[in-house]
Amino acid sequence: MNHSLIHLFLFVGTIVPLSAQGPLTPPGAPAPTMKTLAQIEPRTDVLTLGAEPPYTITEPGSYYLSANIIAASGRSGISIQAENVTLDLNDFTISSPFGVLPATDISLSYSAVIRNGYIKSGNLATDGSYAVNGFLNGIFSFGA
């Protein structure tokens, strides 16, 4: 007998029957696995804190602007009265053609981070000094 036939016979004779390993149908639709930005860093739109400036932040947390703010005469744009506040201006502008208060004021000894935006104020007079229109300060901290 040829050696090739013997090897073929031995190989064919040792085949083990195969059985199914489970259903091939997936258990269901894939579920989302990533968290949303709101779950990672909950943020509040400053414009939801009131009908008009000054928008007052009284709770710690993360806040952002969704539009430009124009402060009325004698008013600040945003008042921060809480500890550990992050304010993202989101490339928007706080401006005032009137009054002389700060664009953003931080009360007492609170800490805050203000980033990514603009504060526009003041009219330059011909003698190089600022006229009374606009904010007296861009960001001002009252108290300690």
Side-chain angles (χ1 to χ4, degrees), residues 43-56:
R43 300 182 341 149
T44 303
D45 185 354
V46 171
L47 301 182
T48 64
L49 300 177
E52 61 184 32
Y55 299 102
T56 304

Side-chain angles (χ1 to χ4, degrees), residues 10-104:
L10 291 175
F11 177 73
V12 172
T14 58
I15 294 178
V16 178
L18 299 176
S19 61
Q21 300 298 310
L24 296 178
T25 307
T33 58
M34 298 180 67
K35 292 183 178 182
T36 64
L37 180 59
Q39 292 170 320
I40 294 170
E41 181 186 13
R43 300 182 341 149
T44 303
D45 185 354
V46 171
L47 301 182
T48 64
L49 300 177
E52 61 184 32
Y55 299 102
T56 304
I57 297 172
T58 59
E59 297 292 325
S62 184
Y63 297 82
Y64 68 97
L65 283 185
S66 60
N68 292 325
I69 292 177
I70 300 174
S73 179
R75 294 185 174 204
S76 296
I78 298 173
S79 179
I80 299 174
Q81 299 176 9
E83 187 68 48
N84 298 322
V85 169
T86 299
L87 175 58
D88 184 353
L89 300 180
N90 219 13
D91 282 338
F92 289 108
T93 301
I94 302 172
S95 63
S96 176
F98 311 108
V100 292
L101 289 176
T104 303

